[in-house]
Amino acid sequence: MRLVTFQIGDTVAAGFIDGEDAVVCAEGAGADRAVLGVIEGGAEALDRWGNSGTRRVPLSEVCLLAPIPEPRRDVFCVGKNYYAHAAEFHSSGFDSSAKETVPSHPVVFTKATTSVCGPGAVVKGSLDPTNSVDYEGELGVIIGKRCFQVPKAEAYDHVFGYVTINDVTSRELQKDHNQWVIGKGVDTFCPMGPWIATADEVGDVTALELVTRINGEERQRAKVSDLIFDIPTLIETMSRTMTLLPGDIIATGTPVGVGIGFKPPRYLADGDVMEVEITGLGTLRNTIG
């Protein structure tokens, strides 16, 4: 199932995609948290959701929002998690996180909930006073079950589904503050969507391919199987000391091809169009403003 949150005129609704239609399962007050409620409710809630929609609206008549417009807490992100990008970032002069090119353990940071925006939304590059906005196409993992000290062998049992994320970053702020929260937590700097695909619909997540295009030019292409630390390792590592909750989002890292990998860096400018496409997860398209 592909779960969506969207607007019909001025009204927020939520439901799932069936063909070329959005099936409405919740509408009005509380609809912006309806997808999160389904995730928290588990398999039974998802079954009820699939049988509850009676109204259908053509996708062409709705405005898709982030599937979870306001996550329950900050988005967990993983840095330097593809080999070529780890080398690219390490040699860029912007990596203040560690001396090792390839990390020996996952590098985890967060993006503020207020950084989340939906497909089609304008990413406010104007909020970056350093004019060093960069893109990072990533696969997002949605946790479906509360988990603490989960071994790798059981990790996928705790995954609800997957979503496309763009970890937009101010490179100069990232470098100046010697950590990544400020440079990556800027309002609107976490586009997400267009939908969450449930794990059963995705199947073998390692076979998914990610492609990022800027103004139609391909910049990134990689398979999820190329991750340094795979999804089970990330879940095992993070849940070893803290509890992951239903609805938590883990952005798994970006592949080689970001703007700072070019000489000179190719930062984003007003009007630039970013597209992140992942197999089966649609295309996340946003414009810099």
Side-chain angles (χ1 to χ4, degrees), residues 5 18 22 40 66 84 95 104 136 142 144-145 151 159 170 188 192 194 224 231 233-234 242 271 274 278 286-287:
T5 302
D18 183 20
E40 293 172 335
D95 184 9
S104 54
E136 294 191 5
I142 311 294
K145 296 179 182 177
V159 173
S170 164
T188 72
M192 182 186 304
V224 174
I231 292 167
T233 299
L234 296 177
M242 65 180 177
M274 307 176 289
I278 301 180
N286 298 88
T287 302

Side-chain angles (χ1 to χ4, degrees), residues 15-145:
F16 61 93
I17 295 175
D18 183 20
E20 297 300 315
D21 295 335
V23 179
V24 180
C25 300
E27 190 171 0
D32 58 337
R33 293 185 57 81
V35 169
L36 181 57
V38 170
I39 295 168
E40 293 172 335
E44 291 184 4
L46 187 62
D47 288 342
R48 289 195 301 271
W49 186 266
N51 295 319
S52 66
T54 57
R55 182 183 176 200
R56 304 171 72 95
V57 182
L59 285 170
S60 59
E61 298 180 10
V62 308
C63 175
L64 292 175
L65 306 174
I68 305 176
E70 187 174 339
R72 64 186 304 164
R73 56 182 180 178
D74 288 0
V75 177
F76 295 105
C77 303
V78 183
K80 299 168 63 173
N81 202 22
Y82 286 86
Y83 287 100
H85 171 65
E88 167 187 62
F89 185 54
H90 186 74
S91 64
S92 69
F94 287 82
D95 184 9
S96 60
S97 64
K99 295 186 185 251
E100 49 187 6
T101 302
V102 176
S104 54
H105 301 282
V107 177
V108 180
F109 60 96
T110 62
K111 290 175 80 81
T113 59
T114 48
S115 68
V116 172
C117 66
V122 173
V123 171
K124 298 177 182 178
S126 58
L127 293 178
D128 173 21
T130 69
N131 297 311
S132 60
V133 180
D134 205 351
Y135 54 88
E136 294 191 5
E138 307 197 9
L139 171 72
V141 178
I142 311 294
I143 296 297
K145 296 179 182 177

Side-chain angles (χ1 to χ4, degrees), residues 161-181:
Y162 304 94
V163 67
T164 303
I165 289 175
N166 188 345
D167 178 17
V168 181
T169 305
S170 164
R171 293 301 183 190
E172 292 291 345
L173 291 179
Q174 180 184 25
K175 181 176 70 171
D176 288 350
H177 293 274
N178 294 314
Q179 46 72 39
W180 300 353
V181 173

